[in-house]
Amino acid sequence: MEILVILVPLALALGLAGLVGFLWSLRSGQYDDLDGAAWRAIADDDPPQETPADVAGAKR
């Protein structure tokens, strides 16, 4: 039972640290653009390259 004297304040301190970290991330704008990162991950950076066969087929 004596260990509870250490564990309960430790658990409260860790919970408070997590809450402070979450509030800091809210204020610093970490959650402002939730969809942007998802679309940047799947978006193509480069336009598709044309092959000589594509160019020849377009001239007909």
Side-chain angles (χ1 to χ4, degrees):
M1 291 299 278
E2 296 87 27
I3 194 70
L4 290 178
V5 173
I6 296 171
L7 290 180
V8 170
L10 181 64
L12 290 174
L14 288 174
L16 182 63
L19 180 64
V20 167
F22 175 69
L23 292 175
W24 171 80
S25 68
L26 278 177
R27 290 178 191 237
S28 67
Q30 294 291 319
Y31 302 105
D32 286 348
D33 184 19
L34 296 177
D35 292 330
W39 284 110
R40 281 192 299 273
I42 61 172
D44 289 334
D45 292 337
D46 299 328
Q49 299 291 327
E50 291 185 357
T51 61
D54 293 336
V55 174
K59 291 181 180 178
R60 287 190 224 170

